[in-house]
Amino acid sequence: MIRKRAIVSGGVQGVGFRWGAREAAQRLGVTGWARNRLDGTVEAEIEGTPEQVDAMLDWLRTGPPGASVSNVAVSDLPLAHDDAFRIHETA
């Protein structure tokens, strides 16, 4: 199991990005969370097998219809052992 943080830049707020991320996470079997940030980016933490996390990162690089992703910055994190993928409030 691995955990990654992704900061997604571009036209990613106001397009259902977090909701789409939750649907993708449920489909791919990853846990974690997503939230809007005050700087206009979306931050997500994703936990699962390396293959599951890579698939979720691929989804984040495109996002839902209407999104325009310009960059995804990824970093490693320690495991948090979440039991679901949640949408958090803006940070």
Side-chain angles (χ1 to χ4, degrees):
M1 299 292 280
I2 63 171
R3 188 175 187 93
K4 302 277 186 179
R5 171 179 290 129
I7 306 295
V8 186
S9 305
V12 295
Q13 290 191 13
V15 295
F17 202 98
R18 294 173 297 156
W19 303 101
R22 184 173 66 180
E23 289 175 8
Q26 290 170 343
R27 185 178 68 252
L28 296 169
V30 298
T31 61
W33 52 265
R35 67 181 173 192
N36 287 340
R37 293 175 16 141
L38 295 176
D39 65 1
T41 62
V42 169
E43 178 180 14
E45 290 192 9
I46 307 147
E47 187 169 313
T49 66
E51 296 80 14
Q52 290 171 312
V53 171
D54 283 346
M56 185 66 189
L57 291 172
D58 285 345
W59 185 91
L60 292 173
R61 290 182 180 101
T62 303
S68 175
V69 177
S70 61
N71 188 54
V72 179
V74 179
S75 57
D76 296 325
L77 293 173
L79 296 176
H81 307 289
D82 296 318
D83 62 358
F85 193 93
R86 294 178 172 81
I87 296 172
H88 287 212
E89 294 300 317
T90 300

